[in-house]
Each structure stands twice: as C-alpha cells, then as structure tokens.
Amino acid sequence: MSLRVLGVDPGLTRCGLGVVDVAGDRRATMVDVGVVGTSADQPLDARLLVVANAIDDWLDRHHPDVVAVERVFAQQNVSTVMGVAQVSGIVIAAAARRGIPVALHTPSEVKAAVTGSGRANKEAVTKLVTKILRLQEAPRPADAADALALAITHAWRAGSGAAVATSGPGTAALTPAQKAWAEAEARARRGR
Amino acid sequence: MSLRVLGVDPGLTRCGLGVVDVAGDRRATMVDVGVVGTSADQPLDARLLVVANAIDDWLDRHHPDVVAVERVFAQQNVSTVMGVAQVSGIVIAAAARRGIPVALHTPSEVKAAVTGSGRANKEAVTKLVTKILRLQEAPRPADAADALALAITHAWRAGSGAAVATSGPGTAALTPAQKAWAEAEARARRGR
C-alpha cells in the first residue's frame, strides 16, 4: 500500500508541483513533476487563475491521498510573501473542496527530512531528491525539486507520526511501530 | 444603469461581504451584507473552505459586475496577515474563474472615499456607510461595514477613473465627463 502525495511549493511567479508515491517501506517513486509560471506583467487575478486552474488539474489527474504545502511565514521576503500566501490559500481550499487532507511543512523540516540537515542549501535538496527518487536527471527548476521534497517529507514524516497536519486523521497518533519506523528511517538517513 | 459591486474585507476569523448597487448619479443602495466567520479551533483547510464556499455562494447569488477587495500589505499585523492573504487569494481566483474583474483598494483609499479622510477611524467609516446607504441601523460588525465601504469606494473611484484594477477594462481611462463627475463627487463629499 503506497501513499500518493502532491507536494506544492506555492508561488506566483513559479509554483512547483510534484507527485510522489511512497511505499510502506519508504521507497519513493516520482509520478509527475512540473512548474506553473506566471508573468509579473499579467494582472494579479489572471495570474492567480492560472495557478488555481493548474492546481485543480493536478488534483483531478493524480488523485493524491494528501497535499503537502510549504508553510509560509510573514517574516519571509516581504515582496513575494503576499503572492505566496495567496497561492497557498488557493491550494489549500482546492484540496479541502475535494476532501483531501492538507499538511504544512516548513522549509527547514523539508531540508532536514531529505538531507538530514535543516540548513541544507537548495542544491543539496535537489541532489538528494534526485537520488531518493532514482531519477536520471535532477528536476529543474529548484521549485520543482522543492515540491518533490515536500511530498517525500510529508510521506516520511507522516509515517513517523511527526507531520503537522491542518486536517484529517492519520497524522496525530504515534504508534510504537511508527516510532520504530521513524528511528530506522533516521538511521538510514544518517547512513546516506 | 447601475454598477453592482461585491466588496470583500478578507479575513479568516471574520470575512466581511457587502453588495452595493451604485447608480450613474452615484446613489448607492445596499443589496446584501454579511460576515463569514470561522473559529481558530478549526483546522486551516476547513476554515479556508468555509470562506471559499461563502464567496462562491455570494458571487453566484448576486452576479456582481466587479469585486472590490481590500489590498493586503505584508507590513500589517503579522499574526493575521497570512490568513488575510490566503483568503484574498481565494476571493480573487473565484472572481477570475467567473470572468468578473477584480479591483484592489487600500484601507486609506476606502476611508478617504467614504469619509473624506484617509485617517478616519472604523466608527466614522461605519457611520458614513450607514448614511450613504440610507440604512436604519449601522451594519455590524465593522468587517461588514468595511465590505460595504469597499464596494462604495470602488464604484465611486471607478466612476472617477481612479480605481486600481487588477484586471479588465473600464477603469483605466478618464474621460472629461468622468473628471467632472469626480470633481462633483469630491465637492459633495466635502459638503457632508
């Protein structure tokens, strides 16, 4: 039984989307990856509509079990944070409309889950996403790799019971088996 | 010929909604007003879905010609700004999906349009909205009055060619007639 996760790195200029199937043994396989881009020359409503339509399309085509979205902080870059938050609102509402649970993960949680360090740079994240998913080429741009990293992070953290869910059951309780799994996973990560 | 404007004061705890018909002679009539509230106890996705469904409902019931949304700044209250931005993204995308133009107005533009002063307090805005719309009672809470004020502001500024549209035609050009109208309107406002 595998978990299908749609990871979304929200953004107005570039919104990264990545779908990953993660098996019970933690093995992760890429299903789809892409980036929706809009130009700052377009009016805001046209830009948000392009992203909203893309999200709807990805949800309807891939039927994820859960949507993992990067958690946005108001402390981030002020010039882009509003667009990021607007897109994240659209993504979360689109998933909720379909009854799909949504989980938020911070960038440092994603870096830690994928690379073992919460301070890893984008290049390290891309490199490990490529390795984890056994891809021939690194996903580009970084937003695409980030979306895949979010999806992997969610599946791995959900397995270890550490996910920060905004909804739904299945992520709050931590069974002894999940604890053991989390510890094994942490050891495997250190061994990479 | 009148212009029907849906004003939205975006928010996660309280989202104000107000529909106003504004005639060619600037006379404004309230069509509907309300507030959608969600509790901080609910998960974020459930809250955003409640607001998204309400927006869809208001758009489908009232068929506004334009949607006026309060412009959000990242400099505002950090603890609430993310929810406000997420809701504004949902509102703008919902309008765009229906081909309805969206315009953004800052709080000070709204205060200036309705009260004549960009620094008016909430009480003054509510008082003048009540007067402009010839209501028996003041709309409560303030978010409801703010939504009506946004709708009035948009219609009046659109008439005067000063609207900040994110989309669509009809607000960019300023004809001599519109100039005269804007001047007359400014005089009338000073006279209140």
Side-chain angles (χ1 to χ4, degrees):
Chain A
M1 200 200 92
S2 72
L3 185 75
R4 175 163 292 189
V5 187
L6 168 61
V8 182
D9 183 19
L12 202 48
T13 303
R14 281 185 307 278
C15 180
L17 297 157
V19 179
V20 173
D21 282 345
V22 182
D25 65 356
R26 323 295 265 165
R27 189 179 164 93
T29 306
M30 187 176 84
V31 177
D32 201 355
V33 67
V35 169
V36 187
T38 69
S39 161
D41 299 339
Q42 293 178 275
L44 176 62
D45 59 346
R47 301 180 76 183
L48 290 173
L49 182 59
V50 166
V51 180
N53 284 342
I55 299 295
D56 284 342
D57 175 53
W58 279 63
L59 289 171
D60 292 340
R61 273 194 296 124
H62 294 298
H63 298 283
D65 299 306
V66 58
V67 176
V69 184
E70 187 169 301
R71 186 184 287 278
V72 190
F73 293 102
Q75 289 81 356
Q76 287 170 315
N77 186 344
V78 169
S79 69
T80 61
V81 75
M82 301 314 297
V84 171
Q86 287 170 325
V87 169
S88 84
I90 290 169
V91 172
I92 295 168
R97 203 170 271 135
R98 289 164 176 80
I100 303 172
V102 178
L104 306 179
H105 298 283
T106 65
S108 60
E109 285 167 351
V110 173
K111 289 171 184 174
V114 172
T115 74
S117 162
R119 298 181 178 192
N121 62 25
K122 281 196 175 287
E123 210 40 58
V125 170
T126 297
K127 195 175 160 185
L128 276 157
V129 163
T130 308
K131 186 177 170 185
I132 291 164
L133 297 173
R134 305 171 307 282
L135 304 176
Q136 298 293 321
E137 282 184 36
R140 303 282 177 202
D143 314 77
D146 283 348
L148 292 168
L150 264 158
I152 295 165
T153 296
H154 178 75
W156 285 0
R157 286 175 65 96
S160 70
V164 181
T166 69
S167 74
T171 47
L174 186 63
T175 66
Q178 285 174 324
K179 262 186 206 160
W181 197 12
E183 285 160 17
E185 200 253 305
R187 276 196 302 276
R189 207 162 50 211
R190 281 196 297 273
R192 269 206 300 273
Chain B
M1 200 200 90
S2 72
L3 185 74
R4 174 163 292 188
V5 187
L6 167 61
V8 182
D9 183 19
L12 203 48
T13 303
R14 281 185 306 278
C15 180
L17 296 157
V19 179
V20 173
D21 282 344
V22 183
D25 65 357
R26 322 296 265 167
R27 187 177 164 94
T29 306
M30 188 177 82
V31 176
D32 201 357
V33 68
V35 168
V36 187
T38 70
S39 160
D41 299 340
Q42 295 177 274
L44 177 62
D45 58 346
R47 301 179 76 182
L48 291 174
L49 182 59
V50 166
V51 180
N53 284 342
I55 299 294
D56 284 341
D57 175 53
W58 279 63
L59 289 170
D60 292 340
R61 274 195 296 123
H62 293 298
H63 297 283
D65 298 306
V66 59
V67 176
V69 185
E70 187 169 300
R71 186 183 287 276
V72 190
F73 292 101
Q75 290 81 357
Q76 287 170 313
N77 186 344
V78 169
S79 69
T80 61
V81 75
M82 301 313 298
V84 171
Q86 287 171 325
V87 169
S88 85
I90 289 168
V91 172
I92 295 168
R97 203 171 269 135
R98 290 163 176 78
I100 302 172
V102 178
L104 305 178
H105 299 283
T106 66
S108 60
E109 284 167 351
V110 173
K111 289 172 184 173
V114 171
T115 73
S117 163
R119 297 180 178 193
N121 62 24
K122 281 197 174 286
E123 212 37 61
V125 170
T126 296
K127 194 174 160 186
L128 277 157
V129 163
T130 308
K131 186 174 169 188
I132 291 164
L133 297 173
R134 304 171 306 283
L135 303 176
Q136 299 292 321
E137 282 183 37
R140 302 281 174 203
D143 314 77
D146 282 349
L148 293 169
L150 263 159
I152 295 165
T153 297
H154 178 76
W156 284 1
R157 286 174 65 95
S160 70
V164 181
T166 69
S167 73
T171 47
L174 186 63
T175 66
Q178 285 174 324
K179 263 187 206 160
W181 197 12
E183 285 161 15
E185 199 255 304
R187 276 195 303 275
R189 206 162 51 212
R190 282 194 297 271
R192 269 206 300 273

